[in-house]
Amino acid sequence: MQLKEFKIKWGMVVDIDKCTGCGACMVSCQVENNIAPMTAEDPHNNLQSMTTKRDDPSNKLRTLTWLNVYELNNGEAFPNRDTAYLPRPCMQCGHPACVPVCPVVATEKNEEGGIVSQIYPRCIGCRYCMAACPYHARYFNWWDPLWPDGMDKTLSPDTSVRPRGVVEKCNFCHTRYLKAKDRAREEGIDPMELPEGYYVPACVEVCPTGAITFGDLNNPEHKVHELSKNPNSFRLLEKLGLAPQVYYMSKREWVRKQGDNHAAGDHNSAVKQASQGHE
Ligand code: SF4
Ligand code: SF4
């Protein structure tokens, strides 16, 4: 499939060697995007259950988080054990597997920045997109969202609350992008050439170790442009050819191998392919 190229390509480079797995990015994402704190025991009694245990993130029936932090390890026993953490938002793929399967065009690749959108009022809840996404980045609302008493007053006025029956996912905090463009117009800045840091998603802003760098992959003045070409950078499941706009980097080879999920012996070619440009 021909990759559509847009002038701006918003993307992330996550330095896995800096990520401590603290989960601040997940929390900030939920607050920013009005995601209810759903838990395993009883979604309609979540004030009580939210203080007990967090749900298994792979349980699609019970959990709703746009950004998940996964724990990786090198498979060795102590004292050679090594651990890493991998935050996984929507990859905003260049060839998004989720888009062509939607029968009602409720999700599409935005030509301003390449962010893959989700249009909630159009979604009929068929979940074809969830089945198509190899990164498990999409979530279905099995229930209407419910917040513990009083917490509903903290909801962000900028982001709509999704009803039961629709799919949702990370959109790089798109409302922040819209606001940044409005602010740029007021300040006489070209909204199509935002300076680095003018627009960043909530997870990037809150990360205490600065593990996530965000910017325009096409803009040489933005750090992500160079970082994405670093020999230690890679993309998840590179071989599927979905051309994610989220990159990872690690100096540890076992991390790169796991993230790339490649067959033994061909890691270098995958990394080389990734570093040759933003396919
Ligand atoms: S669940 Fe919604 S967005 Fe996904 S394919 Fe069906 S209609 Fe489209
Ligand atoms: S990560 Fe999944 S949901 Fe996001 S653009 Fe790619 S295929 Fe679509």
Side-chain angles (χ1 to χ4, degrees):
M1 198 202 307
Q2 185 71 30
L3 184 74
K4 276 194 195 166
E5 278 297 344
F6 307 123
K7 181 172 185 283
I8 306 169
K9 191 190 272 190
W10 294 113
M12 282 179 180
V13 181
V14 183
D15 189 338
I16 291 183
D17 297 341
K18 285 186 184 168
C19 178
T20 61
C22 71
C25 51
M26 293 172 64
V27 175
S28 69
C29 173
Q30 290 195 285
V31 173
E32 176 80 18
N33 294 297
N34 292 340
I35 300 171
M38 201 178 285
T39 59
E41 289 79 9
D42 176 5
H44 295 290
N45 187 21
N46 56 11
L47 181 58
Q48 183 189 353
S49 57
M50 68 189 290
T51 57
T52 53
K53 65 169 184 175
R54 188 174 176 275
D55 199 3
D56 169 4
S58 66
N59 184 346
K60 293 285 198 250
L61 293 179
R62 291 284 183 181
T63 308
L64 213 160
T65 48
W66 289 4
L67 173 67
N68 259 323
V69 178
Y70 293 100
E71 184 178 323
L72 314 176
N73 69 67
N74 63 351
E76 304 277 337
F78 179 83
N80 299 319
R81 183 82 161 183
D82 193 12
T83 304
Y85 298 93
L86 185 145
R88 194 275 300 131
C90 166
M91 303 284 136
Q92 319 298 345
C93 301
H95 297 300
C98 55
V99 169
V101 298
C102 179
V104 292
V105 200
T107 182
E108 59 186 354
K109 184 100 176 138
N110 189 323
E111 299 196 3
E112 266 186 46
I115 296 171
V116 176
S117 65
Q118 182 69 11
I119 305 155
Y120 311 119
R122 267 194 217 161
C123 176
I124 57 173
C126 67
R127 286 167 275 148
Y128 287 1
C129 56
M130 286 174 68
C133 172
Y135 299 105
H136 302 278
R138 289 178 163 268
Y139 298 90
F140 184 63
N141 284 283
W142 291 95
W143 299 283
D144 282 319
L146 191 69
W147 282 267
D149 285 346
M151 198 173 159
D152 50 345
K153 294 189 177 61
T154 68
L155 291 181
S156 163
D158 299 326
T159 310
S160 58
V161 171
R162 286 75 56 189
R164 178 175 53 178
V166 303
V167 163
E168 59 185 64
K169 69 164 194 72
C170 155
N171 55 23
F172 277 178
C173 296
H174 196 257
T175 50
R176 284 186 171 218
Y177 184 31
L178 298 178
K179 280 189 161 184
K181 285 195 292 186
D182 285 347
R183 186 157 48 94
R185 287 185 195 100
E186 283 167 16
E187 294 173 356
I189 296 171
D190 182 352
M192 297 301 283
E193 287 188 21
L194 296 181
E196 178 154 39
Y198 209 86
Y199 152 53
V200 291
C203 55
V204 178
E205 186 177 1
V206 82
C207 177
T209 63
I212 313 175
T213 308
F214 183 81
D216 178 5
L217 291 161
N218 284 343
N219 187 338
E221 290 176 12
H222 288 202
K223 286 193 197 80
V224 287
H225 178 80
E226 199 56 42
L227 286 176
S228 62
K229 297 177 181 173
N230 186 295
N232 289 330
S233 82
F234 62 96
R235 296 187 284 191
L236 294 187
L237 305 178
E238 179 81 48
K239 283 185 169 177
L240 294 182
L242 268 57
Q245 289 176 204
V246 174
Y247 288 74
Y248 295 88
M249 56 191 290
S250 174
K251 290 183 178 147
R252 292 170 283 180
E253 190 181 13
W254 71 264
V255 173
R256 297 197 300 271
K257 282 185 173 179
Q258 280 197 17
D260 202 17
N261 199 22
H262 63 93
D266 65 356
H267 178 62
N268 287 339
S269 61
V271 169
K272 199 173 158 206
Q273 193 187 350
S275 64
Q276 274 171 347
H278 314 300
E279 197 226 49

